[in-house]
Amino acid sequence: MPPSRPDWVARPRLLAKLETNPHTKLILVSAPAGYGKTTLVTTWLQQQESMTICWLSLDEDDSDPQHFFRYLAETARPLPGIQSQLPQLLQSNQVIPAKTMMKALVYDLAAVSAPFILVLDDYHALDSSAVDDALATLLDLMPPQMTLIMTSRSDPGFPISRLRARGELLELRADDLRFTELETAR
């Protein structure tokens, strides 16, 4: 996780919006470059003292599902009680379908008893329908002790309307992230 910025303008209204209810599966922070998505999320996460945070910063090289899942497995490895089905699959010389790898990750994560957060920072950098489909599978199967946070410049390539309808999605968009007059004065 990147360090928080010392010159960050305090934005308690946004930090309060990030407080999730137990049904929230996905927190999507989506806005153009320069809106402070990562800064906001890191500042909020530093206040989550009882949560284990797994942070994965993405770039275009992570569009390859094998590459993506290697990093994802390594990111989740420190979780207490996590199983190791995904790392074992990744040792195979065969190409494994992304959904199969995601189901293995869900199995691994189900063994974690404490609440935790997985952050996928800069999700817009990925260009992979296989990873998009795998993340849709994760959102369908994810254990209740997990929350997924995505920062992105655009919506993910999987449908989020069902999550929105079920009250399982918390969204912060460009309109939310724009400075108020008071924040601009600060």
Side-chain angles (χ1 to χ4, degrees):
M1 183 167 76
S4 61
R5 295 177 50 151
D7 60 345
W8 188 69
V9 175
R11 304 184 83 187
R13 68 182 175 87
L14 293 177
L15 296 174
K17 283 185 177 187
L18 285 171
E19 292 303 321
T20 62
N21 69 49
H23 303 293
T24 301
K25 287 186 173 187
L26 174 63
I27 298 173
L28 176 62
V29 183
S30 179
Y35 272 68
K37 300 175 293 292
T38 300
T39 302
L40 174 66
V41 170
T42 56
T43 302
W44 180 72
L45 289 174
Q46 288 175 348
Q47 298 174 3
Q48 308 308 306
E49 296 168 359
S50 64
M51 292 281 221
T52 302
I53 312 299
C54 302
W55 186 283
L56 180 56
S57 295
L58 300 167
D59 62 35
E60 53 277 345
D61 294 337
D62 300 323
S63 293
D64 171 28
Q66 304 296 315
H67 194 127
F68 173 79
F69 279 99
R70 277 192 183 86
Y71 279 130
L72 195 55
E74 187 60 28
T75 299
R77 189 175 54 82
L79 289 170
I82 191 165
Q83 299 297 307
S84 61
Q85 190 173 11
L86 178 59
Q88 290 171 5
L89 271 177
L90 289 167
Q91 291 177 3
S92 170
N93 290 333
Q94 298 176 341
V95 175
I96 313 249
K99 281 189 179 182
T100 301
M101 289 188 287
M102 187 56 81
K103 287 178 182 179
L105 177 66
V106 169
Y107 174 84
D108 293 346
L109 296 175
V112 177
S113 59
F116 66 95
I117 296 173
L118 171 62
V119 181
L120 299 178
D121 189 33
D122 290 335
Y123 189 76
H124 61 273
L126 298 186
D127 184 18
S128 172
S129 61
V131 172
D132 287 336
D133 292 346
L135 284 167
T137 299
L138 171 64
L139 289 163
D140 285 340
L141 303 175
M142 68 192 272
Q145 68 274 22
M146 176 182 175
T147 303
L148 177 63
I149 298 178
M150 297 174 79
T151 67
S152 183
R153 294 180 187 170
S154 58
D155 278 359
F158 55 85
I160 58 174
S161 56
R162 188 168 32 142
L163 292 170
R164 188 180 293 125
R166 291 181 184 167
E168 298 172 336
L169 173 67
L170 189 155
E171 299 173 88
L172 290 177
R173 303 291 186 154
D175 286 344
D176 300 304
L177 296 173
R178 283 192 180 95
F179 281 138
T180 64
E181 287 183 32
L182 180 60
E183 291 167 343
T184 303
R186 285 188 199 142

